[in-house]
Amino acid sequence: MPSPSEAPPQPPNGGYGWVCTLCVALINANTWGLNSSYGVFLAHYLSNDTFPGATYLEYAFVGGLSISCAMLVSPLATLSIRYYGSHVTLSIGIVLETTSLMAASFADERQIWQLFLSQGVCFGFGMGFLFVASVGIPPQWFTTKRSLANGISSSGSGFGGLVYSLAAGAMIRTIGLAWCFRVLAILCFTVNTVCTILIRDRNKIIGSRHLLDLKLFKRPEFLLFNGYGFFSMLGYIVLIFSLADYANRIGLTASQASVISAILNLGQGLGRPPIGYFSDSIGRITMAGLTTSLCALFAFVIWIFAKSYGVLILYALVGGTVAGTFWATAAPVAVEVVGLRDLPAALNLEWLVIVLPCTFSQPIALQIASSTGGYLGTQLFVAVMYMAAALCLLLLRRWKVDQLNEIARRENYHSNGISMAESELEANGDIARPAGRKSQWKELWKWRKI
């Protein structure tokens, strides 16, 4: 492990890193992707009154609970990585996720709390262990292709959501709800186990700090990164859980609503790799800001006016390509903010920050829709949240421009022609970091790779 004064060695920028990227994509497909198919289960619960007496809000809470529990368990998963390694942490996640699906298959239809504990809490904990242990691995293997690799790995959740949405609906109709859960348990166990065997991290090589370093909160630039995630999740969670319900509200059938959800997931799967690819070309913070702005724009100009099946499909596909920008850019942008060594600590603090929006965004959306008698308020809420996230990235870009200018000055490089190895950049980053907090706005609008 390198000493604190030494710069970490350069990542190989490929090689076995592509195998690890594929493994992380498959893990995402069998965690976040499977969780995205909850809308299919929700439609089944509501149409068949599976748990008599349960309300729509209670059912909706199960989906949000799984995401918030995944984020909430991140400190424990972080400690597990630190003391036992990534493979043990991934294995714990596999056991919890498999157990949750098997337990859900035996849930008593008279006891909705059993669904909370199985499909909600236990599944969320398993998803959290798998996610925290895997999300930081692709960035460790790449430099110039880091965002592309992260985009490919995060696209697994979109394609997984598409496949599992269609597969779960077909299995529920043919073999029943209980056996659907059991088949899903077997599939997830098998795929995640194979991926865990193949995956390799570089934590010891780069000297990763798997700690909850609260000192990061003293950095204004890190708070802007937190704001980016917080506001993005307020918009994203509402979008993925509300779009099918909106389809029903405008008179579409349940089958058409399920197709809308599947198309949204398809859009996410198709959109995330290009986001990563162009992030490496034009800059990670810049690309995140542009695509997050598009999320707000599409909600304003397409979703609000989507009153037919065709237009809503268009929005689901086009809006889906950028809706999950945060998940495709979180790790690469975090590296730009805190450096590669502090990436695990920064991400785990970020997961805690987004627990609140993941938990309460959907209830907020439902309350807005019910109190106004329509979806316009909810649509505006989504658009404004994405706008706020884009503003955080704009301010973050302002800081990064001046940090790089200071590094260039110290290294006797011209600020528009800087070409510095990542190890050098990180070694000088702490020195130049305060300079990024004293920037001039005119520097923000100079086009450069940030």
Side-chain angles (χ1 to χ4, degrees):
M1 181 181 296
S3 66
S5 60
E6 296 176 346
Q10 283 281 78
N13 202 33
Y16 197 77
W18 291 117
V19 176
C20 296
T21 298
L22 178 60
C23 289
V24 175
L26 290 172
I27 290 173
N28 284 331
N30 288 273
T31 50
W32 294 104
L34 179 56
N35 189 71
S36 296
S37 70
Y38 179 70
V40 175
F41 292 95
L42 178 61
H44 174 78
Y45 296 151
L46 293 173
S47 60
N48 294 275
D49 196 22
T50 307
F51 293 85
T55 65
Y56 178 87
L57 191 60
E58 288 176 321
Y59 284 131
F61 187 63
V62 174
L65 190 63
S66 63
I67 299 177
S68 59
C69 284
M71 301 296 97
L72 194 61
V73 79
S74 60
L76 187 59
T78 300
L79 291 175
S80 177
I81 296 171
R82 182 184 180 188
Y83 292 108
Y84 305 110
S86 297
H87 287 87
V88 171
T89 306
L90 289 167
S91 299
I92 293 173
I94 293 171
V95 171
L96 288 171
E97 184 180 41
T98 305
T99 300
S100 72
L101 294 171
M102 292 299 294
S105 72
F106 294 102
D108 189 335
E109 295 182 350
R110 295 167 296 180
Q111 305 291 337
I112 185 67
W113 62 267
Q114 294 182 7
L115 196 66
F116 285 135
L117 293 180
S118 56
Q119 198 174 8
V121 176
C122 189
F123 183 86
F125 285 162
M127 184 164 66
F129 271 89
L130 285 161
F131 175 67
V132 170
S134 63
V135 66
I137 291 178
Q140 296 175 349
W141 286 89
F142 298 91
T143 53
T144 61
K145 301 176 183 177
R146 177 176 293 151
S147 294
L148 173 60
N150 201 72
I152 292 173
S153 64
S154 64
S155 71
S157 61
F159 288 121
L162 171 66
V163 172
Y164 278 122
S165 292
L166 299 175
M171 286 191 287
I172 290 174
R173 290 193 300 270
T174 54
I175 61 178
L177 179 64
W179 274 104
C180 174
F181 276 123
R182 292 163 194 162
V183 171
L184 292 176
I186 294 171
L187 284 173
C188 291
F189 176 82
T190 303
V191 175
N192 288 335
T193 298
V194 172
C195 291
T196 298
I197 293 172
L198 294 176
I199 207 166
R200 298 287 184 273
D201 65 51
R202 303 181 73 247
N203 292 332
K204 292 183 179 179
I205 296 175
I206 65 176
S208 295
R209 300 163 181 153
H210 285 92
L211 299 170
L212 289 177
D213 188 359
L214 298 180
K215 293 181 180 178
L216 290 175
F217 284 125
K218 295 181 179 179
R219 301 181 184 179
E221 61 274 14
F222 184 64
L223 295 179
L224 289 173
F225 176 67
N226 294 153
Y228 166 48
F230 187 91
F231 291 117
S232 291
M233 287 301 98
L234 281 174
Y236 175 75
I237 299 299
V238 173
L239 180 58
I240 63 171
F241 286 146
S242 295
L243 202 59
D245 182 59
Y246 174 75
N248 290 325
R249 294 285 188 99
I250 63 174
L252 301 184
T253 65
S255 176
Q256 289 174 323
S258 65
V259 170
I260 293 297
S261 294
I263 294 297
L264 179 66
N265 283 302
L266 174 63
Q268 293 191 72
L270 294 174
R272 294 184 185 185
I275 290 175
Y277 176 80
F278 288 107
S279 292
D280 290 323
S281 301
I282 69 174
R284 291 146 189 170
I285 298 176
T286 301
M287 188 63 186
L290 290 174
T291 51
T292 301
S293 299
L294 286 177
C295 293
L297 180 64
F298 290 153
F300 273 126
V301 303
I302 303 179
W303 189 16
I304 290 177
F305 302 101
K307 306 297 182 182
S308 65
Y309 186 41
V311 178
L312 196 56
I313 284 181
L314 173 65
Y315 174 68
L317 183 60
V318 175
T321 60
V322 292
T325 291
F326 172 75
W327 300 113
T329 61
V333 171
V335 173
E336 298 293 330
V337 176
V338 301
L340 194 58
R341 284 181 174 175
D342 284 321
L343 174 64
L347 288 179
N348 282 291
L349 288 175
E350 179 68 4
W351 309 147
L352 291 178
V353 167
I354 65 175
V355 166
L356 286 178
C358 287
T359 304
F360 296 107
S361 56
Q362 185 61 10
I364 290 173
L366 288 174
Q367 183 61 36
I368 293 174
S370 61
S371 61
T372 60
Y375 251 84
L376 179 59
T378 300
Q379 293 164 326
L380 292 174
F381 175 80
V382 170
V384 170
M385 291 303 102
Y386 275 123
M387 286 180 61
L391 178 61
C392 290
L393 287 168
L394 181 68
L395 297 174
L396 189 61
R397 189 179 189 277
R398 175 194 178 191
W399 164 81
K400 189 65 178 181
V401 166
D402 286 276
Q403 186 203 28
L404 291 182
N405 284 343
E406 179 65 13
I407 292 175
R409 188 186 67 79
R410 290 176 180 274
E411 297 293 330
N412 294 320
Y413 285 105
H414 189 275
S415 63
N416 288 324
I418 185 170
S419 177
M420 192 182 303
E422 182 168 335
S423 58
E424 296 174 352
L425 188 64
E426 184 155 353
N428 289 277
D430 288 338
I431 299 174
R433 192 177 304 279
R437 302 166 191 158
K438 304 175 182 178
S439 60
Q440 300 295 320
W441 279 101
K442 64 181 181 180
E443 293 289 332
L444 174 65
W445 309 111
K446 292 183 179 179
W447 180 259
R448 59 187 299 182
K449 183 178 177 181
I450 298 294

